[in-house]
Amino acid sequence: MIKVAMTSVYVDDVTRAHAFYTDVLGFETRTHLDLGGGTLFVTVGAADGAQQDLQLLLEPGQGPIAEPYRKAVYEAGLPAIVFSVDDIQAEYERLIALGVRFTHGPQEQGPIIAAVLDDTVGNLIQLAQPKG
């Protein structure tokens, strides 16, 4: 069986992204390595032991390929990644109280309820909860 072990999201500042993804969104740090020359290798994952075999790499988003891609996706209003939540309304209210900017609050979209937030480091992130 093949499973996803790691995926990445391009960010414009790995240190700021790490703070946002852990302090605000609630992920835990899985890996934090200084590779030298100002390059960090940072992964985060779901807290409380959930999804231990899945990590999100906070990938430096500068460069001739990543930067135009990231900007185009953001300007098109497309989420760079989707996170599932158990209670989207509660997460929305918690994040609003922390000052997170949403491009839209919870709304029905087919089989899910979705909201989209700005991660402050160059991406739109969708939160999704199955309906019912």
Side-chain angles (χ1 to χ4, degrees), residues 26-28 30 45-52:
F27 287 99
E28 66 183 18
R30 298 278 176 85
D48 300 325
Q51 296 181 304
Q52 282 299 308

Side-chain angles (χ1 to χ4, degrees), residues 24-66:
V24 178
L25 295 183
F27 287 99
E28 66 183 18
T29 303
R30 298 278 176 85
T31 308
H32 192 286
L33 299 173
D34 185 340
L35 301 178
T39 303
L40 296 174
F41 182 87
V42 177
T43 68
V44 297
D48 300 325
Q51 296 181 304
Q52 282 299 308
D53 59 345
L54 179 58
Q55 298 181 73
L56 176 63
L57 173 62
L58 303 176
E59 184 85 45
Q62 296 73 24
I65 296 172

Side-chain angles (χ1 to χ4, degrees), residues 25 85 87-96 102 127:
L25 295 183
V85 296
D87 184 339
I88 197 163
Q89 189 63 41
E91 282 298 323
Y92 174 75
E93 291 170 11
R94 181 184 75 82
L95 294 170
I96 286 287
F102 280 79
L127 302 180

